Amino acid sequence: MNLGRFNLTVNGSTRDLPDFVLQPGSYAVLLHHSAAEFFTEVPNLVALSGFSSLTNAGTNVVISHQNGMQIDSVSYADYWYGDAVPEGGVSLEKKHIFNQCAEMNNWAASEAALGGTPGFANSFSVLPDLKTLEITDFQRITQYEWKVVFSHELLNFSEIRLVEVGETKSFSVSFELTEPN
């Protein structure tokens, strides 16, 4: 994936990310170019000039595609760290990396001995269950509405992948979350 197709917005200031090819299963660290010398052993550094600081007190961060589609965002605050902030600093980490809706409950202070895991998987990231999702039941509600029951509960909608079938080139799908019975 080329990061050059994405934008980073920090506290309302947007910048295009540079061309940088990120390999599947790897991570990138975005940082101000003046800080790169302190991270010489970290893989996939993407040094930026004019990079806005991420403060401990809180910041709004948005990653979006160059076409304007928002990929992910967070507006964090210092109380998200709880009591886990030792002297020297600790990074906030996303617990469920594919869950884009949980906000504060999906973030916690890093459990890594160094206070963070720059360039590597988060210290306690929870990956989704990648078992096959099957449709176990479906009902037609109206001419354009169907109720679909899946084989297991979804962590979030990023687990659903629509596959192109035959000549079909686009899909329009909407979901309504309901509590399991």
Side-chain angles (χ1 to χ4, degrees):
M1 171 175 60
N2 188 345
L3 297 184
R5 299 186 333 225
F6 299 91
N7 302 315
L8 175 68
T9 303
V10 178
N11 284 333
S13 176
T14 301
R15 62 169 293 110
D16 296 335
L17 293 178
D19 284 328
F20 182 89
V21 177
L22 188 62
Q23 298 302 315
S26 61
Y27 302 84
V29 176
L30 306 177
L31 73 168
H32 191 276
H33 66 86
S34 66
E37 66 183 276
F38 301 108
F39 293 90
T40 57
E41 295 185 24
V42 175
N44 297 326
L45 290 179
V46 181
L48 307 170
S49 59
F51 183 72
S52 298
S53 295
L54 303 179
T55 67
N56 289 335
T59 301
N60 299 316
V61 181
V62 179
I63 297 175
S64 56
H65 191 273
Q66 63 190 180
N67 67 8
M69 184 178 80
Q70 182 174 306
I71 305 300
D72 205 353
S73 68
V74 65
S75 295
Y76 67 91
D78 56 357
Y79 60 87
W80 286 21
Y81 290 99
D83 297 329
V85 182
E87 191 172 322
V90 171
S91 295
L92 281 174
E93 292 184 352
K94 199 172 198 178
K95 294 187 275 188
H96 298 277
I97 61 174
F98 297 111
N99 186 346
Q100 297 175 331
C101 301
E103 286 297 316
M104 181 179 143
N105 294 331
N106 195 33
W107 292 80
S110 175
E111 295 177 345
L114 297 174
T117 58
F120 299 96
N122 290 344
S123 61
F124 54 83
S125 85
V126 179
L127 296 175
D129 180 2
L130 298 178
K131 63 186 171 187
T132 301
L133 180 66
E134 297 175 3
I135 296 174
T136 60
D137 189 24
F138 61 93
Q139 298 175 350
R140 187 177 195 154
I141 307 297
T142 68
Q143 181 179 356
Y144 300 104
E145 183 180 12
W146 291 79
K147 176 182 178 182
V148 180
V149 179
F150 295 104
S151 58
H152 65 277
E153 185 178 353
L154 301 175
L155 176 64
N156 63 58
F157 294 131
S158 67
E159 291 185 48
I160 298 174
R161 301 283 189 259
L162 297 177
V163 179
E164 184 176 304
V165 179
E167 296 298 313
T168 305
K169 299 296 181 192
S170 64
F171 300 92
S172 176
V173 179
S174 62
F175 294 92
E176 178 181 332
L177 283 176
T178 57
E179 291 294 320
N181 294 334

